[in-house]
Amino acid sequence: MKAKARAHANIALIKYWGKEDEELSIPNNSSLSLTLEAFYTETEVEFSELISEDEFYLDNRKDDITLLKVSKFLDLFRDRLNIKTRAIVKSINYVPTAAGLASSASAFAALAAAANKASGLNLNDKALSTFARKGSGSATRSIYGGIVEWQKGDSDQTSYAIEIDDANWDIGMVVVLVNSNEKKISSTKAMKQTVLTSPYYPSWVKDSEKDLIDIKAAIKDRDIRKIGEISERNALKMHATMLAAKPPIMYFEPNSILVIQIVQQLREKGIAAYFTMDAGPNVKILCKLSDANTIKEDLLKSFDKKDIIVTKVGPKVQII
Ligand code: DP6
C-alpha cells in the first residue's frame, strides 16, 4: 500500500494551449515535448486504513491548499477500485536551485505512478498517462522519457501520450531562470481566457497541427535546425495568440527578451540555438547537447551561474 515514484518535467516544442473538454482535460491540439533530466519530482503515496483524511506534504511542509487537488486526483484511483482508503502523500521537487521551475507535469506524473503502484491498480503507461492528464494536461507527457507526443484524441481513453523517439542523440536544453516567483496568471486560467477571447485562437489550433507533422519529420531526420525553427515559431504563435486575448496575457519580462536576443546572436554565429517559453518568463533554449556549454558561456556574460541550467533528455517515470 506504499510506493514512491520519480517523474521528470517536460518542455513542449509544440505547445498544448487550450482545452476542448475542461472536465477531462482533453486539449484542442496535440502537442510534443522533450522530457528533461535535470528537473523532477519524487512522490510517495501510502494508503492507510488508520487515517480518515488524506494528508499532503510538499518539500517536507504540510500543504493543505494543494491537498484538495491531490485528494481529487487520488479519487480517480479510489473510484476505479471502489475503495475509500485515505492516503499520506509526500512530494519533493528536485530542481538544481531553489527556483520556480517545479512543474505540475512532473508532480502529477509522479503522483499518478506512485498511486498506481500503491493502490495496486497497475495501469499500463498509456492508461497512466490518461490519469496524469486529469491532474494537469502537461503531466500526460511526463509519463514518458525522450520525445513525447500527446495525441489529443476525443475521449478520456483516446487522449494519451506516447514516446516517439528516445532522443538518445545530440539534443539538449539550456534553461535560463529569469524570474522564479509564482506565475502572474496560471496556465489553466490563461489558456481558458485565450480560448474564449483571442481572435487568433482558431489559427493557433490549425497551425499547430501542421507544426506537429513538420516537427515529427524533422525529428526523424534528427535535423536540430528544423526542429528548433518549428518549435521556436510555435512558441511565438502561442504567445501571440494570448497577447491578443482580452485582457491580454503577457509572460515576457525584459530579461526574457534579453535571452531571446542572445539566442538570435548565437545563431548568427552559426550555433543551432532556439528558444521556447511557457506560461512564465523563463526561457528554455533547445540545442545540440554538445553546444550547451558554449551557449552557457555566452549567457554567463549577462546571467548568474545559478540561473543557467544545462540538461540532457530525461527518462520515463520510474518506481524507486
Ligand atoms: C504553456 O499543463 O500547466 O506549458 O492542464 O490546466 O494544468 P493544465 O495546464 P498545464 O499547461 C501547460 C501549458 C504550457 C504548454 C505545454 O506544456 O504544452
Side-chain angles (χ1 to χ4, degrees):
M1 294 302 262
K2 181 168 159 178
K4 190 172 179 182
R6 179 190 299 139
H8 291 255
N10 71 76
I11 297 298
L13 303 181
I14 303 298
K15 307 291 184 188
Y16 142 57
W17 197 251
K19 297 180 182 76
E20 190 175 282
D21 184 322
E22 295 272 337
E23 192 50 41
L24 290 173
S25 266
I26 295 173
N28 279 311
N29 66 284
S30 298
S31 54
L32 182 139
S33 61
L34 202 60
T35 300
L36 300 186
E37 192 210 43
F39 306 92
Y40 57 95
T41 302
E42 284 182 4
T43 297
E44 183 187 275
V45 174
E46 180 174 16
F47 285 98
S48 166
E49 302 293 350
L50 303 174
I51 51 171
S52 55
E53 297 293 339
D54 290 325
E55 289 172 33
F56 179 61
Y57 300 84
L58 179 61
D59 296 332
N60 296 314
R61 272 192 300 271
K62 206 158 191 277
D63 181 344
D64 288 335
I65 296 171
T66 316
L67 172 68
L68 302 172
K69 265 197 127 179
V70 170
S71 267
K72 202 174 157 219
F73 188 74
L74 292 176
D75 285 342
L76 297 172
F77 290 85
R78 287 189 279 246
D79 290 351
R80 187 65 78 86
L81 290 161
N82 215 354
I83 57 168
K84 295 253 175 285
T85 323
R86 302 287 115 182
I88 300 168
V89 178
K90 293 178 185 159
S91 194
I92 305 223
N93 278 321
Y94 289 88
V95 291
T97 63
L101 221 102
S103 89
S104 58
S106 55
F108 278 101
L111 178 61
N116 187 39
K117 181 82 180 168
S119 69
L121 186 57
N122 292 327
L123 300 168
N124 62 23
D125 286 347
K126 193 160 134 184
L128 195 58
S129 86
T130 69
F131 269 57
R133 190 191 75 233
K134 287 172 274 194
S136 180
S138 50
T140 316
R141 300 181 307 239
S142 267
I143 297 298
Y144 298 92
I147 300 176
V148 181
E149 179 185 352
W150 172 13
Q151 303 177 335
K152 73 173 281 295
D154 56 9
S155 65
D156 189 21
Q157 290 83 14
T158 56
S159 185
Y160 54 77
I162 52 164
E163 182 192 303
I164 61 160
D165 191 300
D166 63 8
N168 199 3
W169 34 282
D170 195 7
I171 184 167
M173 267 193 174
V174 180
V175 176
V176 190
L177 301 167
V178 164
N179 184 341
S180 52
N181 295 334
E182 194 80 17
K183 315 179 189 179
K184 275 185 252 153
I185 162 167
S186 74
S187 33
T188 308
K189 216 176 141 200
M191 65 176 78
K192 195 169 175 184
Q193 193 165 308
T194 310
V195 174
L196 292 175
T197 67
S198 177
Y200 304 144
Y201 190 72
S203 322
W204 153 257
V205 174
K206 199 160 162 265
D207 265 45
S208 294
E209 282 162 17
K210 168 106 177 43
D211 288 349
L212 184 66
I213 294 169
D214 292 347
I215 206 166
K216 280 162 77 176
I219 289 165
K220 261 210 181 94
D221 295 341
R222 300 188 178 181
D223 184 339
I224 195 84
R225 286 182 190 273
K226 262 251 168 65
I227 297 169
E229 273 166 26
I230 298 165
S231 67
E232 184 175 289
R233 185 133 184 268
N234 182 268
L236 285 172
K237 284 188 271 193
M238 176 183 75
H239 285 279
T241 308
M242 60 175 113
L243 282 169
K246 195 177 171 190
I249 301 153
M250 191 186 328
Y251 288 112
F252 295 90
E253 289 187 9
N255 276 341
S256 318
I257 305 287
L258 178 60
V259 180
I260 289 172
Q261 287 169 336
I262 293 171
V263 168
Q264 286 166 339
Q265 283 156 13
L266 281 164
R267 227 146 57 202
E268 276 160 26
K269 284 188 246 169
I271 295 172
Y274 299 85
F275 64 85
T276 187
M277 272 176 71
D278 295 291
N282 299 322
V283 185
K284 297 98 183 183
I285 304 169
L286 179 76
C287 59
K288 289 183 178 169
L289 192 59
S290 57
D291 281 338
N293 281 320
T294 312
I295 295 170
K296 182 175 175 176
E297 282 305 311
D298 217 69
L299 287 160
L300 278 170
K301 293 176 202 152
S302 316
F303 292 90
D304 218 70
K305 198 170 158 196
K306 70 168 183 7
D307 294 329
I308 309 167
I309 300 137
V310 170
T311 174
K312 55 181 176 182
V313 177
K316 64 177 284 191
V317 71
Q318 299 155 58
I319 296 296
I320 51 172

